[in-house]
Amino acid sequence: MAYKTVIGLEIHVELMTDTKIFCSCPNEFGGEANTHCCPVCLGLPGALPVLNKAVLEYAIKAGIAFNSKIANITKMDRKHYFYPDLVKGYQISQDDVPLCSGGYVEIELEEGTKKIGLTRIHIEEDTGKSIHTEEGDSLLDYNRAGVPLIEIVTEPDMNTPEEARLFLEKLKSTLKYIEVSDCKMEEGSLRCDININVVDTETGKKTNITELKNLNSFSGAVKAMEYEEKRHISLLKEGENTERETRRWDEVKNETIIMREKGEVADYRYAVETDILPIEIKDEWIEELKNSLPELPHAKKQRFIKEYDIPEYDAGVLTQSKELADFYEETVKYIDDPKQVSNWIMGDVLRRINDEELEIEDLKFKPKDLAKLLELINEGKISNNIGKKVLRTMFETGDSPEKIVKEKGLIQISDEDELEKIVEKVLSENEQSIIDYKNGKDRALGYLVGQVMKVTKGKANPQMANQIIRDMIEEQ
Ligand SMILES: [Zn+2]
């Protein structure tokens, strides 16, 4: 039997404008509870909202980056529901005329590029936060009330958890590129809800959609989707169905847990927000914003392939984030070997960054230092392997490669007399290998070079050692 998984996402992203969406309170994460508040964001009677133009600007930039159609006329609406973190009893959002419609995000799969369609992007205000204490009290912090959000809704175009992960990575990197959000999932500036179900492609039977909420990392989201995929398929196999419900991911139990059953579709009694006039967006402004956008990931990738003559794969990895791409370009400025720089960044640098869950911005060394390290290797002052060791120290101390090489005495031995002495000693202790080599066993040569490297703690120039060993054996 064949099954198809269907995944759609709803992503809320906080915009990093200086002030909130309808008042001039600071838009900052954290702060002492209820200190970033005024009558507008507290929803006090008579307080009137004024739309922050920067919110429109940021949201339109996101729409342009994701190939959406920007509305020339739009409006704000009231979405009514009751919850203690929503003081007004309604959230100011957008209902039937969203700021941006349609659009897509491209993800790279092994079989090629796939377009994930977007339904819409609209602007709205964030709510306050409820904090439940161990003593059983519920506290309310309205610092977040009125923080500007965009809600991005996708079409159900993703068919594996991996596709959803790639989509989220691309969405995040693009929003960071255009500097509209920092997309920190752990601080809640990017929040993702997932709708998932499974179709039996032979019978056409499908499970009810499960909504996954409260996910606080991409890896948690992927695990939750994988878990749900299996759960839906096993129910289908038994001829059963899933309940329409909302579940969350439990990181300790490694399973999804039911939060609530979904009853009827909620009626939010949407109504036009009459305190805010309809919004007119002129084509000239959209054009102006389009021209102000920096180079987007896809365009940067194409440029890297052309300008640096590196493989498509390398260009894709290096343009994952603006910071990484900048680091690469800065390094190449100092050392004119784009492929070598790419190999080192994609290899030892990114491996360590991923292992330690660092960001490229956290590195203690600068692009100039990495370039210097590669220069030392290319000049034959240190070997490739020693270079890797030096890089490890650079990660820890941030010291310059010259300093590390000098302090640790790592300069490569390229002095012929010195190397000859070492080789002589190694040969005298490995007579069997000499015989093997003379009998045509090439591996014996490798072993002898290895012994020279061992004696010199990796400092011998390997090419020179190789040549000297061959010369000496032939002279014997
Ligand atoms: Zn305020």
Side-chain angles (χ1 to χ4, degrees), residues 20-26 36-42 142 145-146:
K20 290 186 179 179
I21 184 168
F22 299 122
C23 62
S24 54
C25 291
H36 299 163
C37 302
C38 73
V40 174
C41 48
L42 289 175
Y142 291 106

Side-chain angles (χ1 to χ4, degrees), residues 270-332:
Y270 276 102
V272 174
E273 168 56 79
T274 46
D275 287 340
I276 297 171
L277 289 169
I279 304 153
E280 192 191 347
I281 297 157
K282 294 212 164 76
D283 285 334
E284 296 87 76
W285 193 36
I286 299 172
E287 201 55 34
E288 199 182 299
L289 292 174
K290 194 182 265 177
N291 295 331
S292 75
L293 285 183
E295 188 180 33
L296 294 173
H298 186 70
K300 201 182 276 282
K301 181 179 158 186
Q302 297 308 320
R303 179 170 66 79
F304 274 26
I305 296 171
K306 261 178 87 177
E307 193 173 328
Y308 300 117
D309 195 24
I310 51 173
E312 188 180 354
Y313 176 79
D314 294 38
V317 173
L318 295 169
T319 53
Q320 273 168 2
S321 77
K322 187 170 178 292
E323 290 75 16
L324 183 63
D326 289 348
F327 192 94
Y328 174 73
E329 290 205 276
E330 187 71 15
T331 311
V332 174

Side-chain angles (χ1 to χ4, degrees), residues 17-281:
T17 51
D18 295 335
T19 54
K20 290 186 179 179
I21 184 168
F22 299 122
C23 62
S24 54
C25 291
N27 173 22
E28 282 166 17
F29 177 74
E32 199 186 325
N34 298 308
T35 54
H36 299 163
C37 302
C38 73
V40 174
C41 48
L42 289 175
L44 298 187
L48 288 172
V50 177
L51 181 60
N52 178 353
K53 193 179 173 192
V55 172
L56 279 177
E57 183 185 318
Y58 282 38
I60 292 171
K61 280 184 176 176
I64 296 169
F66 297 133
N67 317 290
S68 305
K69 164 110 187 58
I70 314 296
N72 288 112
I73 301 277
T74 184
K75 65 181 171 80
M76 303 306 297
D77 298 286
R78 294 180 179 184
K79 178 183 179 180
H80 297 86
Y81 66 97
F82 172 76
Y83 202 75
D85 65 17
L86 184 71
V87 255
K88 296 193 294 293
Y90 60 84
Q91 177 191 28
I92 306 179
S93 178
Q94 294 194 289
D95 180 23
D96 51 341
V97 192
L99 179 61
C100 315
S101 316
Y104 58 87
V105 171
E106 286 184 333
I107 56 170
E108 308 295 334
L109 302 175
E110 262 176 44
E111 56 269 31
T113 303
K114 180 172 177 180
K115 276 185 187 175
I116 307 296
L118 299 185
T119 314
R120 58 187 280 164
I121 303 174
H122 70 251
I123 53 173
E124 61 186 25
E125 60 180 336
D126 209 343
T127 60
K129 247 189 225 174
S130 304
I131 299 142
H132 307 287
T133 67
E134 283 177 11
E135 291 78 36
D137 295 322
S138 282
L139 305 173
L140 286 156
D141 176 6
Y142 291 106
N143 281 351
R144 203 180 68 178
V147 164
L149 292 178
I150 48 175
E151 179 177 323
I152 302 167
V153 183
T154 78
E155 294 292 311
D157 285 349
M158 289 150 277
N159 298 114
T160 63
E162 175 63 8
E163 285 181 20
R165 189 187 65 78
L166 289 169
F167 171 86
L168 286 169
E169 295 283 1
K170 190 69 177 282
L171 185 92
K172 177 178 166 176
S173 77
T174 305
L175 292 170
K176 287 180 78 176
Y177 259 85
I178 59 174
E179 295 175 340
V180 301
S181 176
D182 57 15
C183 295
K184 288 184 181 162
M185 218 167 173
E186 67 284 4
E187 288 183 6
S189 59
L190 186 150
R191 308 195 284 271
C192 168
D193 297 340
I194 299 168
N195 287 316
I196 181 168
N197 74 332
V198 171
V199 185
D200 181 334
T201 52
E202 278 162 30
T203 63
K205 272 191 188 158
K206 48 178 96 167
T207 51
N208 287 317
I209 293 172
T210 298
E211 184 183 29
L212 294 167
K213 271 185 179 282
N214 290 11
L215 301 156
N216 45 26
S217 68
F218 283 1
S219 61
V222 170
K223 283 184 204 155
M225 283 184 274
E226 287 169 347
Y227 182 89
E228 280 303 301
E229 195 172 40
K230 284 193 196 118
R231 192 174 72 86
H232 280 238
I233 290 174
S234 70
L235 283 168
L236 264 185
K237 276 184 181 162
E238 290 162 18
E240 290 181 41
N241 199 343
T242 48
E243 299 295 329
R244 296 190 66 240
E245 61 196 11
T246 303
R247 300 173 78 94
R248 67 176 176 85
W249 178 244
D250 188 314
E251 274 179 6
V252 182
K253 292 184 180 159
N254 257 317
E255 60 184 39
T256 62
I257 286 177
I258 182 164
M259 285 168 74
R260 57 176 177 265
E261 281 174 32
K262 275 209 149 184
E264 295 301 304
V265 176
D267 178 4
Y268 293 116
R269 291 171 50 246
Y270 276 102
V272 174
E273 168 56 79
T274 46
D275 287 340
I276 297 171
L277 289 169
I279 304 153
E280 192 191 347
I281 297 157

